[in-house]
Amino acid sequence: MNQFDAGGNYYGVNAVNKSLIVYNRCKGQNYNGLVLGSSGSGKSFSSKREMVSVILNTDADVNIIDPDGEYTPLAQAFGGSVIRIAPGNHVFLNPFDLDVDTSHDSDMNPITMKTDFVCGMLETMLGNGASLTPVQKSIVDRCIQQIYAPYLEYLQSAPVDANGKRKTIDRDRCPTMQTLYQMLLSQSQPEAQNLALVMVTYTTGTFDTFAHRTNVDVNNKLIIYDIKNIGTNLKELALKVCMNDIWNKIVENRKYGKWTWFYIDEFHLLLSNNSTAEFLKSIWKRARKWQGVPTGITQNVEDLLQSPI
C-alpha cells in the first residue's frame, strides 16, 4: 500500500518506520471497508476521523446509520442533518422510495432489488429468523410489480429537464408500505392474507414509522440517521430502511459525478436473514460503479464469519 496517496486520508502511523499512513480508498480496486474491533477499542473514533477528513477535503456526501445516537455532535460541528427516527415523532422515511436509474449499471434491475429488500423487511416483521416460502416470495414479487407499474409509467411520461433527461425518482409519487398492504389484501391466496396480517402493526398500528411518504430533507452533505430511540422491535427494520434510503442517494449522486461515503454501525444486524443479506450484498458489489464508498462498523466479527453471503 502506498503510504502517501494523493488526496488520501490519515489512518495512523507505520509501526516499523513511524511514518504517516495516508491512503486514498477511492483509488483501490474497490472502495469497501470494515472497521472491526472489540468494545472500547476505538472503532467509532477511527471512523469519525475518516468522516471528518472526507467532509473537509472533498465535496462527497457522507451518510451515517447511527444506532446509538453518538454521531450527533459531528452533525452539529459541520452543519449536517440528523434524522431522528422513532415511533410517534412523525419523522417518516418511505422504504418504497425508488430511483430507477440504470445508466451506470445496465445489469441492475431496480424492481428486482426492491423485491429482495421488501422480502427482507417482511422476514423481519415475521421475526424469529423466519424466511418467506417460495409461494410467499412469488406473491410479493407480483405485488411489487403491480404497485410500481403506475410509478414507472409516470416517470416515463414526465417531461425532460434542460439537459434532456427525465427524472428517475419522485418521492411524492412512490408507493408506500400501505400500498403493498392493500395490494396483498386484494390477493385471493391465503398466504397473501397472512402476510397482510403480519403487516398490520407496521402500516396502521403502533409501528407505522415506515408506512408513510418521506417527509424529511435528505439532501444535506452530511446526514445522520439516528435510530437510537427506535426501540428493539424496530431496530433491525430501521437499519434496512436507512440503507435503502442511502442507496437511493448513491444512485442520485452518481448522475452528477458525486461520491457518496456511507457508514453502517452495528453492521452485523443486516446479516440476520438471507433476503436482507442478499440486498446488502448487491449494494456492496455495485457501490463501486456508482461511486459509493461503504463502511461497516461492528464488534461482532463472529456474526460476519457465520454469514456465507
Side-chain angles (χ1 to χ4, degrees), residues 47 114 187 309:
S47 300
K114 181 60 68 176
Q187 307 300 304
I309 294 174

Side-chain angles (χ1 to χ4, degrees), residues 11-287:
Y11 288 99
V13 178
N14 188 302
V16 177
N17 60 20
K18 309 303 180 185
S19 62
L20 300 181
I21 298 175
V22 178
Y23 177 58
N24 190 340
R25 287 175 59 181
C26 297
K27 290 184 177 180
Q29 291 187 341
N30 71 61
Y31 322 129
N32 307 345
L34 286 172
V35 181
L36 309 174
S38 59
S39 180
S41 62
K43 298 186 301 299
S44 294
F45 180 82
S46 176
S47 300
K48 290 171 185 173
R49 183 172 60 195
E50 182 180 70
M51 296 169 192
V52 170
S53 294
V54 174
I55 293 168
L56 292 178
N57 299 316
T58 75
D59 65 348
D61 282 354
V62 176
N63 293 264
I64 306 162
I65 301 179
D66 182 9
D68 297 316
E70 63 176 289
Y71 294 91
T72 297
L74 194 68
Q76 294 171 340
F78 293 100
S81 296
V82 179
I83 301 175
R84 291 186 172 88
I85 306 169
N89 73 347
H90 301 290
V91 172
F92 302 128
L93 276 181
N94 182 11
F96 289 80
D97 286 346
L98 179 65
D99 194 316
V100 299
D101 183 24
T102 60
S103 59
H104 298 285
D105 188 354
S106 58
D107 294 330
M108 184 182 77
N109 185 326
I111 300 296
T112 300
M113 282 188 67
K114 181 60 68 176
T115 300
D116 289 341
F117 170 69
V118 172
C119 285
M121 285 203 308
L122 290 170
E123 289 177 346
T124 298
M125 295 176 190
L126 288 169
N128 299 318
S131 297
L132 297 183
T133 66
V135 172
Q136 289 173 322
K137 289 182 179 179
S138 178
I139 291 171
V140 172
D141 179 67
R142 183 177 69 227
C143 289
I144 291 294
Q145 299 279 350
Q146 291 175 343
I147 67 175
Y148 275 102
Y151 176 65
L152 297 176
E153 184 178 345
Y154 161 75
L155 292 178
Q156 284 294 323
S157 61
V160 297
D161 61 17
N163 297 317
K165 295 183 179 180
R166 285 189 172 87
K167 65 170 68 175
T168 56
I169 183 173
D170 189 332
R171 294 176 186 267
D172 294 327
R173 293 276 189 157
C174 288
T176 67
M177 193 179 296
Q178 292 179 345
T179 315
L180 177 61
Y181 171 70
Q182 294 296 333
M183 183 61 69
L184 285 170
L185 282 178
S186 70
Q187 307 300 304
S188 60
Q189 296 85 356
E191 291 88 350
Q193 303 300 312
N194 290 336
L195 285 176
L197 184 61
V198 170
M199 293 180 67
V200 168
T201 303
Y202 300 91
T203 52
T204 60
T206 309
F207 301 139
D208 68 341
T209 303
F210 304 119
H212 309 275
R213 287 204 167 97
T214 299
N215 67 349
V216 291
D217 182 12
V218 293
N219 294 315
N220 201 307
K221 174 184 173 71
L222 170 62
I223 296 178
I224 296 172
Y225 298 86
D226 184 344
I227 58 174
K228 179 181 180 180
N229 297 317
I230 195 70
T232 304
N233 291 320
L234 280 176
K235 189 172 186 179
E236 185 182 337
L237 184 61
L239 280 164
K240 297 169 185 176
V241 174
C242 293
M243 185 66 257
N244 174 74
D245 199 65
I246 291 172
W247 174 249
N248 283 323
K249 174 59 66 175
I250 291 171
V251 174
E252 186 175 3
N253 280 347
R254 185 63 180 87
K255 302 173 196 173
Y256 308 105
K258 182 184 285 190
W259 291 80
T260 308
W261 292 62
F262 63 101
Y263 299 81
I264 310 168
D265 220 332
E266 302 289 350
F267 178 72
H268 61 280
L269 293 177
L270 287 170
L271 302 175
S272 57
N273 62 56
N274 286 337
S275 294
T276 304
E278 284 288 355
F279 174 72
L280 181 64
K281 174 185 173 183
S282 67
I283 292 177
W284 225 250
K285 292 177 68 175
R286 289 189 167 99

